[in-house]
Every structure is written in structure tokens, then in C-alpha cells.
Amino acid sequence: MDFTNSSCGESDHRQIEENKPLLGEMSAPEGGKMGAVPCRRAVVHFNGMRYKLLQEGDIQVCVIRHPRTFLSKILTSKFLRRWEPHHLTLADNSLTSATPTGYMEDSMPYSAIEDVQLLSWENAPKYCLQLTFPGGTVLLQAANSYLRDQWFHSLQWKKKIYKYKKVLSNPNRWEVVLKEIRSLVDMALTSPLQDDSIHQAPLEIVSKLLSESINLTTQEHESIIVAIAPLLENNHPPPDLCEFFCKHCRERPRSMVVIEVFTPVVQRILKHNMDFGKCPRLRLFTQEYILALNELNAGMEVVKKFIHSMHGPTANCPHPRVLPNLVAVCLAAIYSCYEEFINSRDNSPSLKEIRNGCQQQCDRKPNIPLRLLHTNPDLVSQEVTSADSRHKTVIVTSNEVHVEVERNNTVNQKLKANTGNDSEPNLIDCLLISPACSTMSIELSPQAERVLECYVEILKILSDYDDWRPALASLLQPIPFPKEALAHETFTKELKYVIQRFAEDPRQEVHSCLLSVRAGKDGWFQLYSPGGVACDDDGELFASMVHILMGSCYKTKKFLLSLAENKLGPCMLLALRGNQTMVEILCLMLEYNIIENNDTQLQIISTLESTDVGKRMYEQLCDRQRELKELQRKGGPTRLTLPSKSTDADLARLLSSGSFGNLENLSLAFTNVTSACAEQLIKLPSLKQLNLWSTQFGDAGLRVLSEHLTTLQVLNLCETPVTDAGLLALSSMKSLCSLNMNSTKLSADTYEDLKVNTQVLCLPHDFYA
């Protein structure tokens, strides 16, 4: 039969020559040497009809053998051809049928296919492909022209990829191999097929080639990287290729390839990667790339510019995955700095083991809190004894880390009491501070020091972006660092800048992350407070954190109670030194009756009177207490309505004019009062109904009311600027039964929460009218 190589006029781009040898006719570069191009290659993409790569499908098959006799020629004429329906699968090595009978009883390997063409002669069967093999021809007939073209391009792709795999599996001359890689990349870029595997298959072939070739020169490394760079613009590199890139970053950090080729690859990873846990080598590659940038002459300035390019010039970063991915890379890098110490914890129990008191199969010492000491060569392998058996001490040596274990009966009893609790103990319980020192002595290698310095600096840079700070604070709130890092003075001193940025941010979603993520665990507030493992100052950061937290925490009494139980000593010391925030804290403890012990109250009063600012504030407290007693004295009206346009000052002046101990119903509707008047409202002990309709009373005032007016039953907030943040504070008011929230920014979720927690009833607009 007459089979030609001409193609259909409507599809000139489909004509692909298959008979060219892949290696034979390609010449080596000039001079026989291969060099890296300092810039990326131009990318030429296919324009026209796009097709999806076929893996299987239904098609008609006809096999025509080459006639050897006159009879066979008659039998193979077009009038006597027999077509068979088959469901063909395009496997990696061959074309197979789901029903191996008839023409397709045996699979057809791609190596046996000499050519793939579209039939175009006159009176040829419609929508047919011609596959030429040594013994004849296979005709494939599709249902329409689109399916025919899809089969054509898919077969071409499978056949070429199979040939490239064979050719590049046995490389001889690297000059020729590089040409083949470039040809493979060009084929992927110009293919009309649109599928993820079109770009991934060449990358996997090159990745396998590099993993099996260990004797490559640096120049050959760079040449291969430049050759495959166009494929990496829209695809993540495979794991083996990531290893290859990491090696290049470590060995040649100043190479232009790192800047010009790896930068867009890392940018794409940071913008689009969803989970480094599924592809840890992408994280490792990103980590090595950033370290390579840090090795340049400008050092951290280059890293800072790179992070700024990831954030973008606008106030808000348009890529939500950039920050979580950068933080994940930083955490992994910091962890790697202490990995040697973490892996050498011979007898050091985990936090959960400390709490549960469980033993491992090895002969481990009892699991009790650790006391960290400076490294002392004289204490290595030495047991310290004491006459008092309750304070018997054992020194456990782990490389350069020495851990002193105190067996204290009181501590052991506390641990036994908490055995049933599965939650981890506080880090402060595990990192008790020795009177002689404040941190554990950890000697990192010079390389680990550089890595630690680089990635802690990156966390500082991230904390300087206002839009990233809330998410960064949330990611760091669980303290995702190993114990060794928190006990390392260098690390905690450098990280202090990040915590300071959180403490200075007025947004509650940021500075609230200084507190622990849940009860029973400690947060940054505890670690950087006096007596904490990370505190290296006289309490300035602690005072700053207390100031910002007191300004936004609606559970003021609970917070003050926590300070009184755990940090009363540091608070009194800072107040004695004239710190105004701590003076205010001590005054509030007295005003809210947080301290029950009379001796402690007298000590606080003495502390306040020892400074000018403390004496002045204590006198103001005494005046307020006298006014409060006068105000709460029984008597006065039970109902009170302020005129419209009254202000906070008017309300304060009115309440100071007499006793209002019997006042149960107060209407401030259509006045100009704000959240500041809450300080006056909480002085009314009998108040049960409060009308704030059409005022400027906001979230801050609601937090104060929820903390003090626990007996309030009816509250009207119609047309006030309150939001979900303030309304959620009302969930602690169990006596509240009627709440008007019409014309507010109340969401459906908050409304349901309030109904469950307070059983309130949303009242109509005309309430209190």
C-alpha cells in the first residue's frame, strides 16, 4: 500500500521526524568543552491547540503485514481489511490492549515503532494514524479529528520519552549528553500536550541521571542546571534533583547559577508549596539556598532583599503561603543547629516523660525536672553527694551538656499528683535555673553558629512586617523550639527582639500570643519574665509585656491573680525601682482584693509608698476607695436616665454627687458616652439593667463590664460600635438573660455562642423606648 510521510495541511505542527538518531548526529560544543551559561536560556512555548496526555482509550485497530506473495497482497487490500475494537493503554515501555486477542495479542514495544504519522492520501480512512514497524503497519482509527491528534501526540511523547530514558541511562560523552538534555527540555516546552507529567518526566530523567553520575565537575553541574532551568519555572524539582541543587549551593554558594537560576525556583516553592512534610527535600533546598545567599559579600542584606521580594512592595503580601513556608524553613534550620545535643540525650527524659514519670526500656534515671548548669570539666562523670538525702544530686554527661537532676521529695510528690495528666509540663518546670548560672553552656560549631545567626535574623526581619506579625506570633506561640535552644543564651538573646516586637504591637491578636497556647503550658511571657530561662534583663521586657496585656485582657482579675501567684516578687521589685506599670499592677491588686494575706498587703503598701509615683497612685487609690464606699452606700434612686448628649465626664460628675447603692436601672441611651465610662459603671453594685442604645460604647468597655458586673441581667447594645471581639467577652456573664444586639457587627457564629453560654434573648429595637 502507498504510505507517505506527508501530513495534513491543517496540522503542519504535527509533522515530527522520528528517524533522527538522538545522539549520533549531534556535534560537541566548540573546542570540545562544556561551560555553564551565566544566564538562563530563552523559553519557547508551543502556541496552538492543546491536548491532554492520553494514558488509555478506545480505538479501532487494523494491522497490515508487508505482502510477500501475490495472494497476501490481495488479502491486505483495503477492501478486505478487518478492523478490531481495542482498549489500548500507553504504558511506559509499550502499547498494550486490555483484551490481548487478535491484532493486539502481543503488546507493541515503543522500540519497535519506526514512525508515527497521520494518514493524508486521497481516499484514506478518516481519522487514522499509521504506526510503522519492521513487519508492516498498524492503523489506528479514532472517532474524530481531535481524538486522532490526541493519540498522535501522546504516542509521539511516549515514544520519545522512552528513547531518551534509554539513551541517557548510559552516558558516554557529557558534551553530547548535555545536548540531549537540552533537546529533551525543548521537546517538553514545545509539546502541544498539557499535563503535569510533561514537565515532570524530563526532570525525573535528569534527576536519575545525576544521582547515578558522581564524577561530574562543577562546570558540568552548572551546565546541566542551566539546561533544565526553563522546566523549573512552573514545576517543583524532584527529590533527587533537590539533593543535587543542595550540593551545588554548599559547594559553590557564590556561583551566578544560585542567583539567576535558583532564585525563581525557590520563589515558586515558597509561594506555592502547601506542606514541607510531604516534600522535605524542597525545604532543605530552600534552606541551603538562603545560606548560600548569606555567604555572598553583602550577606544578610542579600537575604533581606530576597525576603522583601517575596513580600512584595505593597503593605500586604499577596501570597499567603510565603510566611508559613519561611517560618518552617527557619524552625528546621534552628533545630538542625542543636541536633547533635538533641540526639545525645542519653538520660534526658522528654517533657511528657517528666510529667508522667514513665521509664524507658533502658536503665534511665527517674524522670524528674532538670536543672541546667554551665559546662564544668571538673564535673564530668563525677557524682556529687550530700548529707541530706532529699537533695541527692547526680551529674549526667552528654557531650558538652551537663544536666543536674535533683531528687526532691516535694517535687516527686508534685509529679505523682500530675501523673494522670497527659499534657506536657511547663518548660520552666523542666528548665529550673541554678542560682549560680542562668543558662546552659552550649558550644556550637562555627558552621552551626552561622546557620543560627542567619535564621534568627530572618525571624527578626519577618517580625518587622506589620501584615506578617499576627501570623508569625500565632506560629511561634506554641514555642516550637527544642529545650536546648531555649537554654542557649545566644539564641534567646537574639530572639528577644522578635518577642519585643510582639509586645509593642497594639493589636490583641499579636500580643495575646505572648501567653501560653493552653492551660498547663508556658508561653513567651513566662520564659522572658524574671526567673524565666530566657530573661537576661532587669524586667524591662516583662514590664512591657504586662503593660500591653493589661490594656487588652478582658479577664483582668484572672490575669492579676496569675501575676500574684507566680510573679509577685518581680512585680514588687520593679515597682520599688519606680516602674510605673508595676506600680499600677500593685494598685490594681489592692483595689480588686487579689491579695488576701494581710502581711503581703502591707508589704505591697510599703513598696508603693517607697517611691514618689507609687505614693501618688496609692493616695489616688485610697481616694477612689472612699468615693466608692460613699457611692455604694445604700440609698438613692433605683432608676436613672441621663439626658441626651451627656458625656463620660457628666456621668462621672453625677455619680460622685451622692450615693447610688440602690440603683438597678440605668439608661444612657442617645448620649455621647464611650467605653471610658465603664470605670464608673462597675462601681454600681446593684445595677441589673443597662441601656446603651446609640452610644459610642465599644469592645473595651464590654470587657470591663464582663469582668466586674457579674450580676447584670439586661443589656441594650443596639446601634453601638461593638464587634464580635467584645461581644464574646459577655459569655462569662452567666446572669445575663436579655441582650439587644440589633444594628451591630454581630456575626452568626458569635450569636450562637452567646445563646449557648448565656441563654440571652435578642430584643427588638423598641426596647427601653
Side-chain angles (χ1 to χ4, degrees):
M1 307 185 81
D2 186 13
F3 296 105
T4 66
N5 290 330
S6 60
S7 61
C8 296
E10 63 181 13
S11 303
D12 294 336
H13 65 271
R14 304 190 202 108
Q15 183 62 26
I16 302 178
E17 297 183 8
E18 281 288 319
N19 293 323
K20 284 188 178 180
L22 292 178
L23 290 174
E25 297 181 6
M26 291 189 177
S27 58
E30 225 176 275
K33 293 185 179 180
M34 181 173 65
V37 183
C39 59
R40 292 185 293 166
R41 301 165 54 207
V43 181
V44 179
H45 296 282
F46 176 84
N47 294 319
M49 185 74 74
R50 310 294 291 182
Y51 306 93
K52 183 175 177 59
L53 178 65
L54 275 176
Q55 301 295 340
E56 57 182 343
D58 295 319
I59 200 166
Q60 297 286 330
V61 180
C62 178
V63 177
I64 303 173
R65 301 283 180 181
H66 290 317
R68 298 182 179 272
T69 62
F70 180 75
L71 179 60
S72 61
K73 189 173 183 179
I74 295 176
L75 294 176
T76 57
S77 63
K78 63 179 181 179
F79 302 105
L80 299 178
R81 288 177 192 159
R82 178 169 55 90
W83 292 87
E84 295 178 355
H86 282 274
H87 185 83
L88 300 184
T89 301
L90 283 75
D92 292 337
N93 304 321
S94 61
L95 186 65
T96 60
S97 174
T99 55
T101 57
Y103 292 143
M104 299 300 297
E105 184 175 1
D106 297 324
S107 61
M108 179 179 296
Y110 297 135
S111 57
I113 300 176
E114 297 177 349
D115 195 11
V116 180
Q117 292 182 344
L118 296 169
L119 294 187
S120 59
W121 68 83
E122 192 177 352
N123 297 327
K126 292 184 70 176
Y127 316 132
C128 268
L129 302 177
Q130 173 181 310
L131 279 61
T132 305
F133 65 98
T137 301
V138 175
L139 300 180
L140 302 179
Q141 187 174 32
N144 52 56
S145 60
Y146 182 84
L147 281 177
R148 174 199 62 191
D149 296 346
Q150 191 176 14
W151 274 96
F152 172 75
H153 292 297
S154 299
L155 282 167
Q156 289 275 26
W157 173 260
K158 289 284 187 178
K159 182 175 179 295
K160 280 197 168 185
I161 284 295
Y162 174 76
K163 285 189 176 183
Y164 276 113
K165 283 182 179 179
K166 288 189 63 178
V167 170
L168 295 177
S169 61
N170 297 308
N172 294 322
R173 295 173 55 198
W174 276 102
E175 298 87 348
V176 181
V177 168
L178 181 61
K179 289 248 179 180
E180 292 297 339
I181 292 175
R182 289 173 175 166
S183 176
L184 175 61
V185 171
D186 290 340
M187 181 190 74
L189 295 176
T190 58
S191 173
L193 295 173
Q194 192 172 15
D195 194 89
D196 293 339
S197 61
I198 298 303
H199 289 168
Q200 283 296 329
L203 290 176
E204 290 173 358
I205 292 173
V206 175
S207 177
K208 183 179 179 181
L209 171 67
L210 294 174
S211 64
E212 295 174 352
S213 305
I214 59 176
N215 296 323
L216 292 177
T217 64
T218 303
Q219 201 174 29
E220 292 169 345
H221 273 190
E222 295 189 353
S223 300
I224 294 174
I225 292 172
V226 171
I228 63 175
L231 292 180
L232 298 173
E233 290 186 358
N234 298 311
N235 300 273
H236 290 337
D240 291 338
L241 206 55
C242 286
E243 289 283 351
F244 176 70
F245 290 168
C246 290
K247 181 181 178 183
H248 189 81
C249 287
R250 286 190 294 266
E251 293 179 353
R252 296 203 64 189
R254 297 172 178 266
S255 169
M256 289 301 297
V257 169
V258 174
I259 300 295
E260 299 192 0
V261 178
F262 288 168
T263 297
V265 180
V266 174
Q267 286 177 337
R268 187 181 188 280
I269 292 173
L270 292 175
K271 290 177 181 178
H272 300 287
N273 178 68
M274 298 301 295
D275 185 7
F276 277 128
K278 297 180 180 178
C279 39
R281 293 189 184 179
L282 287 179
R283 176 193 53 74
L284 186 61
F285 167 49
T286 306
Q287 180 178 327
E288 293 293 344
Y289 166 79
I290 293 176
L291 290 176
L293 293 184
N294 192 40
E295 292 294 326
L296 298 177
N297 292 335
M300 284 307 301
E301 285 300 319
V302 181
V303 177
K304 189 174 182 178
K305 289 180 180 179
F306 171 74
I307 294 176
H308 181 71
S309 70
M310 296 305 305
H311 179 276
T314 59
N316 295 311
C317 178
H319 305 287
R321 290 301 308 169
V322 170
L323 177 66
N325 286 333
L326 279 173
V327 172
V329 171
C330 291
L331 295 180
I334 293 172
Y335 183 90
S336 67
C337 296
Y338 300 94
E339 198 164 7
E340 177 185 355
F341 299 100
I342 295 171
N343 294 336
S344 61
R345 293 176 187 165
D346 297 332
N347 283 329
S348 176
S350 66
L351 296 180
K352 193 169 184 178
E353 291 169 346
I354 293 172
R355 169 60 61 86
N356 295 336
C358 59
Q359 290 188 356
Q360 298 297 316
Q361 296 179 356
C362 61
D363 50 351
R364 173 173 287 173
K365 305 297 181 186
N367 300 311
I368 52 182
L370 306 179
R371 186 179 293 274
L372 303 175
L373 297 176
H374 281 302
T375 303
N376 189 344
D378 297 333
L379 296 179
V380 177
S381 303
Q382 175 185 359
E383 183 174 344
V384 181
T385 60
S386 174
D388 190 352
S389 60
R390 293 178 303 169
H391 298 282
K392 189 174 181 181
T393 305
V394 178
I395 299 298
V396 181
T397 305
S398 175
N399 286 352
E400 299 188 27
V401 182
H402 304 286
V403 183
E404 178 186 0
V405 183
E406 290 191 357
R407 298 190 181 131
N408 189 297
N409 292 339
T410 305
V411 175
N412 285 334
Q413 291 173 4
K414 183 179 178 181
L415 291 173
K416 290 178 181 178
N418 295 330
T419 302
N421 193 345
D422 291 335
S423 62
E424 294 184 354
N426 289 342
L427 285 173
I428 294 178
D429 291 340
C430 306
L431 301 174
L432 298 175
I433 303 304
S434 172
C437 61
S438 60
T439 53
M440 177 170 58
S441 176
I442 295 181
E443 294 294 334
L444 298 179
S445 65
Q447 175 62 21
E449 286 282 358
R450 288 194 296 271
V451 173
L452 181 65
E453 180 183 359
C454 173
Y455 283 99
V456 174
E457 191 65 30
I458 290 177
L459 290 178
K460 293 182 183 180
I461 296 172
L462 297 180
S463 68
D464 287 333
Y465 288 93
D466 290 339
D467 61 316
W468 275 352
R469 203 174 300 132
L472 179 64
S474 178
L475 291 171
L476 297 185
Q477 185 180 12
I479 313 184
F481 300 104
K483 293 187 295 183
E484 287 76 5
L486 298 175
H488 188 199
E489 183 179 6
T490 303
F491 173 75
T492 54
K493 188 175 181 179
E494 294 297 325
L495 193 67
K496 182 179 177 181
Y497 176 85
V498 179
I499 307 304
Q500 183 71 48
R501 296 293 287 163
F502 295 163
E504 294 171 353
D505 197 299
R507 291 171 291 184
Q508 184 181 1
E509 57 182 326
V510 178
H511 57 248
S512 63
C513 292
L514 295 171
L515 300 173
S516 59
V517 68
R518 66 174 184 270
K521 289 183 70 71
D522 46 287
W524 296 112
F525 178 76
Q526 287 79 13
L527 292 183
Y528 279 91
S529 61
V533 294
C535 183
D536 62 347
D537 55 20
D538 293 331
E540 289 83 0
L541 178 57
F542 172 68
S544 176
M545 291 190 290
V546 170
H547 176 75
I548 195 71
L549 289 171
M550 280 295 298
S552 65
C553 183
Y554 66 89
K555 295 184 178 179
T556 306
K557 283 188 176 180
K558 185 177 180 181
F559 185 65
L560 289 174
L561 184 61
S562 174
L563 289 177
E565 291 178 351
N566 303 308
K567 301 297 177 184
L568 183 58
C571 289
M572 293 176 65
L573 178 61
L574 291 172
L576 192 63
R577 294 174 179 175
N579 187 285
Q580 186 170 350
T581 299
M582 291 305 154
V583 170
E584 293 176 1
I585 291 296
L586 295 182
C587 289
L588 287 174
M589 287 182 180
L590 294 176
E591 185 174 1
Y592 295 161
N593 295 321
I594 300 295
I595 307 298
E596 297 179 355
N597 186 280
N598 291 333
D599 292 336
T600 306
Q601 290 181 358
L602 292 175
Q603 187 177 355
I604 292 176
I605 294 173
S606 300
T607 302
L608 292 173
E609 292 181 339
S610 62
T611 61
D612 294 337
V613 62
K615 186 181 297 184
R616 185 177 68 255
M617 295 187 70
Y618 180 63
E619 290 175 355
Q620 294 174 356
L621 171 62
C622 293
D623 294 339
R624 288 199 305 271
Q625 292 289 348
R626 283 192 293 268
E627 293 175 0
L628 180 61
K629 288 181 180 179
E630 180 67 24
L631 177 67
Q632 293 179 346
R633 193 179 62 196
K634 291 300 180 180
T638 58
R639 296 175 64 91
L640 180 64
T641 301
L642 254 69
S644 60
K645 298 185 179 181
S646 299
T647 63
D648 296 331
D650 297 330
L651 176 63
R653 192 178 300 111
L654 176 64
L655 293 181
S656 63
S657 63
S659 59
F660 291 89
N662 292 338
L663 186 62
E664 296 181 355
N665 189 319
L666 176 62
S667 176
L668 302 176
F670 304 104
T671 64
N672 295 332
V673 297
T674 65
S675 296
C677 74
E679 296 296 333
Q680 304 296 328
L681 297 177
I682 62 176
K683 299 175 183 178
L684 303 173
S686 303
L687 190 62
K688 295 181 180 179
Q689 300 181 17
L690 179 61
N691 185 2
L692 295 168
W693 191 349
S694 190
T695 64
Q696 294 304 310
F697 199 87
D699 294 340
L702 284 184
R703 295 190 184 108
V704 177
L705 295 184
S706 65
E707 186 71 21
H708 298 276
L709 292 183
T710 55
T711 60
L712 193 67
Q713 298 177 359
V714 179
L715 180 60
N716 185 1
L717 297 172
C718 180
E719 297 181 14
T720 57
V722 295
T723 64
D724 289 346
L727 291 170
L728 281 175
L730 300 179
S731 59
S732 62
M733 303 177 69
K734 302 302 180 182
S735 62
L736 193 64
C737 56
S738 296
L739 179 62
N740 187 349
M741 299 172 289
N742 289 325
S743 301
T744 63
K745 298 178 182 179
L746 173 71
S747 67
D749 293 338
T750 302
Y751 177 69
E752 294 298 327
D753 289 341
L754 288 173
K755 284 176 60 179
V756 172
N757 294 324
T758 62
Q759 299 180 351
V760 296
L761 174 65
C762 187
L763 299 176
H765 278 26
D766 57 353
F767 180 67
Y768 286 122

